[in-house]
Amino acid sequence: MWITLFTIILLWFLWYVGNKLWTNSMLKKSATVLSSEDFESQSHGHDIVDIREPAKFKSKHVFGARNIQYVMLKENHAALRKDRPVFLYDENMQTAARLAKMLKKEGYNQLYVLKNGFMDYKGRVKTNQ
């Protein structure tokens, strides 16, 4: 019983750590990761894209952001200009890392991702409650 429980916990821990390392590695190659404060100050006047689900976006989002889901951007990223900085965020950086990697391959060079995603964002937000 204890061995099974220990094995499950160990496997979960290894998966969690591996996932974090993979995300950080992918982001280092394709985007600049910004703290909450830097994200807010540097994103002003640029494309801020929230790639979370529409319900989460409608509830609360970074002030000035627009909601374009990952699936839509994956299929057609014409909504983003290659010659301007693009600021991306999601819930926890996982999806933003995949999207940044894809956009980098497509020629986007000014990509920025919010460190730890929206759950740690401390800047101005818009709420619809």
Side-chain angles (χ1 to χ4, degrees):
M1 165 81 176
W2 290 106
I3 294 173
T4 304
L5 182 60
F6 177 74
T7 304
I8 291 170
I9 292 171
L10 180 63
L11 289 174
W12 177 84
F13 178 76
L14 290 173
W15 173 83
Y16 180 80
V17 169
N19 202 14
K20 286 288 188 186
L21 290 173
W22 176 81
T23 299
N24 290 338
S25 170
M26 189 182 328
L27 278 172
K28 282 183 182 179
K29 296 176 185 174
S30 54
T32 302
V33 178
L34 298 174
S35 68
S36 181
E37 296 81 16
D38 291 339
F39 191 88
E40 182 173 18
S41 66
Q42 294 180 28
S43 65
H44 185 69
H46 297 291
D47 286 336
I48 307 171
V49 182
D50 182 327
I51 56 177
R52 299 176 302 152
E53 296 295 319
K56 289 184 179 185
F57 176 81
K58 287 177 185 173
S59 173
K60 188 176 183 181
H61 61 270
V62 172
F63 191 79
R66 59 187 168 140
N67 184 229
I68 308 174
Q69 289 181 294
Y70 171 76
V71 176
M72 301 293 278
L73 282 173
K74 185 177 174 186
E75 293 175 9
N76 181 12
H77 39 271
L80 305 175
R81 292 179 48 178
K82 289 184 181 181
D83 62 333
R84 296 191 60 191
V86 177
F87 292 79
L88 304 169
Y89 72 92
D90 62 359
E91 204 64 41
N92 59 11
M93 289 190 351
Q94 298 285 320
T95 310
R98 282 184 287 187
L99 182 60
K101 181 180 178 184
M102 182 194 69
L103 291 173
K104 183 72 171 183
K105 286 182 182 177
E106 295 292 325
Y108 291 81
N109 293 315
Q110 299 177 66
L111 298 169
Y112 302 91
V113 174
L114 177 60
K115 183 176 183 178
N116 297 326
F118 186 69
M119 61 187 196
D120 285 350
Y121 186 68
K122 294 174 180 43
R124 293 185 340 165
V125 295
K126 181 175 181 185
T127 58
N128 293 327
Q129 296 177 355

